[in-house]
Amino acid sequence: MTELSDREAELVSAHEQERPARQLGGPLRLGVWIVGGLLSVYSLVVVFRPVEALEHRMTFLAVALPLVFLCYRSGWSAFLPRLFGRGKSAESPPPETPAEDDPLAGVSRAVAHPEGTRRSERPSVADWLLAAASLAVLVYPLLDIDGFRDRGSGAALTDLDIVAGLALTVLLLEAVRRTVGWSLTIICIVFLIYAYYGAYLPIDWTIGHRGFDLGQIVSQLYTGTEGFFGVPMQVAASYIILFTIYGAVLDYSGASKFFIDLSFAAFRKSRAAPGRTVTTAGFLLGTVSGSGVATTVSLGSVAWPVLRRAGYPKEPAGGILAAGGIGAILSPPTLGAAAFIIAEYLRVSYLEVLLYATIPTLLYYLGIFLAIEIDSRRFSTHAVQVDAPKAGKLLLRFGYHFSSLILIIVLMALDRSAFQSVVIATAIAFALSFLDPQHRMGLKRTGQALAKGTLEVLPVTAVCAAAGIIVGVITQTGLGLNLSAIIVDFAAGNLVLTTLMSGIAVMLLGLAVPVTASFIIAAVIIGPALTTLGVTQAEAYMFVFYYAVLSEVSPPTALSAVAAAAITGGNTYKTMMMTWRYTLPAFLVPFAFVLTPNGQALLGQGPIGTVLLMTAVSAVAVAALALATGGMTGWPERVLAAIAAVLLLFLEPVPIVAGLAVLAVAVAVHLVRSRRRDPA
């Protein structure tokens, strides 16, 4: 992700679930960047010289966890005054609404790299002690990894093993609190208490279990690949780090600037062009940043002045920014971190997960573009002249930035692993940077990109390691199957009710914890509830994935929408509702591929004819949704259009015919009422 200015960083700090890192200075900054760069180099080398799974994950965390304590503030100085009623700390000042003459209106401003613009901060003595303790408890098993693994599998841990495991548990809880806040920390603590005291629950409770002592819990979490070093940690240390390195290389090679400039150059003339431009820029910029809120903030600083000049009111403009900001997390070729976990859980290639996401992505952007087209007429927006080179000229000069993105897909289609594909694409992006003298990757920029790749993955690493607590406890106690049974029983075995409850549960969970963590928790609890009722694992995991991501635009928190409202100065609630309207297809389409027999076609599964037909029907359903939420002015036709959309998303012959008939009636009613209002 690009390095943000002071005001942009404040906005991310206020609205992102991941906390902002310290601005280090002097020798410490250099040291951290060197260590981060070395960890990136190690991660790249391991792709071609594999290391045993447990050893690799421990080594990765042994470097990453100390960096968390050095790079992220403790936050206690802000928390304790609030806890004891002494007011708020000034550690993170509130964001300011941009002025009308915001100097960030230049197209390339969001992709600048201001160095040293914020006051440098130093870690405290406690931070250094925590970093040292992290290193000690993770290096300790590596000194005799085979003996350590044997003791864990034989339940013969030494007292030192148990002490080190408990220490690592506490350290991870603190790391998660620093990087993403209290919510996930508290959830992890609750799961640990449940594992230890589960035997005290009433015997007739479904979630009761025999209870586990400290040695058994530590053995589960610390000594194997079921806890801290499980699938989530594998994803962070093997997939996500490679993609953050790739994103950093793209960024430093000038790709971010090119994507922004190209988006603004591509749509110049129509009144819907500003909205389409912002959405396209969000998609392209998000492939580099990988964060919904950060993309919204970076994009908004550039795009809001353009949208304002085009005539967009504050709330619709904020909705477009937020919808565009999370679009890349839902979209190939990068998707979000949870997509890598899906590949690991399903034991399929990452390319297959990309194929699952392709049609839902097309429907998502179709819905946004239709809504933008409708709003451009409703708000009487107009084209805006932006000082950017022509699109053709940009493509001829800098179009090579697309080559590495395309190469990832091509290599995976040729049966290269995702690991090797992204490393090769990173090397190509590095080599192509020398075509641009302003962004060529010399020694300094290469070092910065490698370091940034590691620093960007630190919060996700902390989340994935701590999520291992939840996964480990669920596996050890059998809680996942028990909770799944409770969900199914509560819904009386009804798939529709179970799916509805699951969607609500994932969204509520996503309001409290980051997307990656909410997906992991929901996948092991809610996923089995859906598969029990006949839903395939792919459909279940993709359903959970979409609702985990959509929590970022779901009221009442809707982090991306709140950040967008802070940029535009619009009403927060109205911005949330506009964002919800733009993203509505993404909320409904997952129900289609879970509830209907032909729904798997939306994941690219089945005969090509069925896939194309169901995609076309779903596109008509998305158009009906657009008409229902803004394209029609009267309530009768809006209700009819909404009914038509729901019928069409059943993806069965009879409902499809009925949906088309209802949609035709809605259009006819709209035309008749329009002629009555305007006889001329």
Side-chain angles (χ1 to χ4, degrees):
M1 184 178 63
T2 55
E3 188 161 342
L4 304 175
S5 68
D6 288 353
R7 187 170 66 76
E8 291 170 341
E10 290 168 5
L11 286 171
V12 175
S13 171
H15 306 298
E16 174 74 282
Q17 283 175 315
E18 294 177 1
R19 302 297 189 260
R22 284 187 175 107
Q23 182 75 3
L24 301 175
L28 178 58
R29 174 185 173 90
L30 177 62
V32 165
W33 280 58
I34 289 174
V35 173
L38 291 175
L39 182 58
S40 288
V41 171
Y42 165 77
S43 300
L44 293 170
V45 171
V46 165
V47 172
F48 300 98
R49 297 177 63 88
V51 176
E52 189 272 331
L54 181 61
E55 183 179 354
H56 169 54
R57 299 171 201 180
M58 278 188 175
T59 302
F60 185 88
L61 190 59
V63 180
L65 190 57
L67 289 178
V68 169
F69 292 112
L70 297 180
C71 294
Y72 285 83
R73 308 175 185 92
S74 71
W76 289 110
S77 60
F79 174 72
L80 293 177
R82 289 200 297 269
L83 183 65
F84 294 104
R86 297 177 186 170
K88 295 184 178 180
S89 167
E91 188 171 353
S92 296
E96 299 177 0
T97 302
E100 292 295 312
D101 57 348
D102 193 334
L104 295 178
V107 168
S108 301
R109 179 62 182 86
V111 292
H113 290 269
E115 299 287 345
T117 56
R118 281 174 273 163
R119 179 175 56 86
S120 63
E121 305 168 71
R122 295 180 180 178
S124 66
V125 173
D127 295 327
W128 282 103
L129 291 175
L130 291 173
S134 302
L135 184 63
V137 298
L138 285 161
V139 169
Y140 157 69
L142 292 172
L143 299 177
D144 181 19
I145 188 67
D146 293 330
F148 179 76
R149 190 187 297 105
D150 291 341
R151 293 196 300 274
S153 60
L157 296 181
T158 65
D159 290 342
L160 185 57
D161 293 334
I162 295 175
V163 170
L166 292 175
L168 180 57
T169 303
V170 173
L171 289 165
L172 284 174
L173 292 174
E174 170 62 8
V176 167
R177 187 196 63 78
R178 289 185 180 215
T179 54
V180 299
W182 279 99
S183 298
L184 182 58
T185 308
I186 293 171
I187 291 172
C188 290
I189 292 172
V190 169
F191 272 87
L192 289 169
I193 293 172
Y194 168 73
Y196 191 77
Y197 289 106
Y200 295 95
L201 294 173
I203 194 170
D204 58 337
W205 282 27
T206 305
I207 61 173
H209 61 86
R210 64 185 178 87
F212 299 91
D213 60 30
L214 290 179
Q216 291 170 314
I217 294 173
V218 168
S219 178
Q220 174 76 1
L221 299 181
Y222 185 39
T223 62
T225 56
E226 296 291 335
F228 303 138
F229 311 108
V231 169
M233 190 63 222
Q234 160 70 8
V235 168
S238 300
Y239 283 102
I240 301 175
I241 178 64
L242 297 179
F243 275 85
T244 56
I245 294 170
Y246 171 61
V249 170
L250 274 182
D251 189 19
Y252 275 89
S253 67
S256 297
K257 180 181 184 301
F258 164 68
F259 291 153
I260 292 287
D261 287 347
L262 179 64
S263 299
F264 278 84
F267 302 105
R268 290 176 180 266
K269 297 180 180 179
S270 74
R271 56 185 173 185
R276 292 200 299 263
T277 295
V278 171
T279 304
T280 304
F283 167 70
L284 293 174
L285 187 60
T287 61
V288 178
S289 79
S291 167
V293 173
T295 301
T296 298
V297 170
S298 296
L299 180 62
S301 298
V302 175
W304 163 231
V306 176
L307 292 173
R308 183 176 61 225
R309 286 161 51 198
Y312 277 94
K314 296 176 180 179
E315 290 79 14
I320 293 173
L321 290 172
I326 70 158
I329 308 178
L330 296 167
S331 308
T334 53
L335 295 178
F340 302 110
I341 300 175
I342 292 174
E344 288 293 309
Y345 280 168
L346 293 179
R347 298 188 180 277
V348 299
S349 69
Y350 181 59
L351 177 61
E352 192 161 343
V353 178
L354 296 186
L355 293 176
Y356 293 159
T358 298
I359 294 173
T361 295
L362 295 174
L363 296 174
Y364 176 80
Y365 282 103
L366 174 64
I368 294 179
F369 281 123
L370 288 174
I372 288 172
E373 195 69 36
I374 290 167
D375 282 353
S376 67
R377 288 165 170 76
R378 187 163 57 147
F379 301 128
S380 299
T381 62
H382 51 82
V384 174
Q385 184 64 38
V386 177
D387 185 16
K390 292 184 178 180
K393 182 178 179 181
L394 280 170
L395 283 171
L396 286 174
R397 178 63 183 88
F398 300 108
Y400 59 80
H401 285 299
F402 285 116
S403 60
S404 60
L405 289 167
I406 297 170
L407 185 62
I408 291 176
I409 306 298
V410 171
L411 289 173
M412 287 193 291
L414 295 175
D415 288 334
R416 285 273 191 173
S417 69
F419 310 119
Q420 292 183 358
S421 298
V422 72
V423 171
I424 294 171
T426 302
I428 294 299
F430 166 80
L432 291 175
S433 72
F434 289 91
L435 297 176
D436 181 5
Q438 185 179 354
H439 294 97
R440 62 178 48 150
M441 300 283 289
L443 183 62
K444 179 180 179 181
R445 295 181 72 83
T446 301
Q448 289 174 330
L450 289 172
K452 201 168 186 65
T454 288
L455 299 181
E456 289 289 334
V457 86
L458 293 182
V460 179
T461 301
V463 167
C464 287
I469 295 173
I470 298 168
V471 176
V473 169
I474 286 174
T475 303
Q476 189 173 37
T477 62
L479 178 63
L481 293 176
N482 291 335
L483 288 179
S484 297
I486 291 173
I487 293 172
V488 173
D489 290 343
F490 185 81
N494 183 279
L495 180 58
V496 175
L497 185 56
T498 300
T499 305
L500 182 62
M501 290 172 55
S502 299
I504 294 172
V506 177
M507 281 198 299
L508 291 176
L509 182 62
L511 301 180
V513 299
V515 169
T516 305
S518 63
F519 172 81
I520 293 169
I521 298 169
V524 296
I525 295 176
I526 292 173
L530 294 173
T531 55
T532 299
L533 297 176
V535 178
T536 67
Q537 280 193 317
E539 292 165 350
Y541 285 148
M542 291 302 290
F543 178 89
V544 171
F545 168 69
Y546 280 106
Y547 270 83
V549 173
L550 290 170
S551 64
E552 285 205 0
V553 291
S554 302
T557 54
L559 299 175
S560 290
V562 173
I567 292 172
T568 65
N571 178 278
T572 301
Y573 174 75
K574 290 180 180 179
T575 302
M576 286 184 189
M577 298 313 295
M578 289 299 300
T579 305
W580 179 81
R581 177 185 153 227
Y582 285 122
T583 58
L584 183 58
F587 284 90
L588 295 184
V589 168
F591 279 93
F593 57 68
V594 168
L595 295 177
T596 66
N598 286 324
Q600 63 179 348
L602 298 183
L603 297 180
Q605 307 297 298
I608 185 63
T610 302
V611 170
L612 293 175
L613 178 59
M614 294 304 109
T615 301
V617 171
S618 300
V620 177
V622 169
L625 283 174
L627 293 175
T629 57
M632 294 176 169
T633 55
W635 282 108
E637 55 263 48
R638 284 191 174 194
V639 171
L640 288 171
I643 293 172
V646 172
L647 288 171
L648 289 166
L649 286 174
F650 273 99
L651 302 180
E652 291 294 311
V654 174
I656 289 173
V657 172
L660 292 173
V662 173
L663 181 59
V665 172
V667 172
V669 171
H670 175 69
L671 293 175
V672 170
R673 287 167 60 88
S674 298
R675 288 173 182 172
R676 287 179 180 175
R677 284 193 299 267
D678 186 13

